[in-house]
Amino acid sequence: MNFDLAAVAKSRAVILVEGMSDQAALEALAGRRGRPLGAQGISIVPMGGATSIGPFVDMLGPHGLDVRLAGLCDAAEEGYFRRALEGAGLGSALSRADMEALGFYVCTADL
């Protein structure tokens, strides 16, 4: 896990993304929209792949640092995100709409 845990722990929200290119895309979009995420207390954390989400949810979510979490994944990786959210006690048999209500979105087109 290659990110600044101390900075993330101070965030009011963390957006979990699969990789660094996803992080760059979100940062560019936020910049174009005039949304300074860091100044708003929002961190974007690339996980090194969707299969890594479990430890991130455990560390940052309700049973860890209890930081508000959100996330993005590609459609092919939706199951990994669903299982991690369910494993963290954030619901069971989560539908895509349930995941969106938690702040986790599935991208049908690869970022």
Side-chain angles (χ1 to χ4, degrees):
M1 296 183 196
N2 191 16
F3 65 97
D4 184 350
L5 182 58
V8 168
K10 294 177 185 175
S11 298
R12 67 178 186 86
V14 172
I15 302 170
L16 299 174
V17 295
E18 291 184 54
M20 292 172 56
S21 63
D22 301 311
Q23 178 184 20
L26 285 182
E27 288 172 348
L29 178 61
R32 274 185 264 169
R33 293 183 175 249
R35 302 274 320 256
L37 297 179
Q40 295 176 344
I42 300 170
S43 296
I44 301 172
V45 174
M47 301 179 297
T51 60
S52 300
I53 188 171
F56 282 89
V57 171
D58 291 344
M59 179 178 26
L60 301 172
H63 302 293
L65 296 175
D66 199 23
V67 177
R68 168 119 171 92
L69 294 178
L72 290 173
C73 69
D74 297 326
E77 316 302 342
E78 182 176 356
Y80 295 111
F81 273 53
R82 178 177 291 111
R83 285 187 293 278
L85 296 172
E86 291 172 354
L90 297 173
S92 61
L94 294 172
S95 67
R96 191 174 285 183
D98 295 331
M99 290 172 58
E100 289 177 1
L102 293 171
F104 287 82
Y105 294 86
V106 177
C107 301
T108 55
D110 190 16
L111 289 178

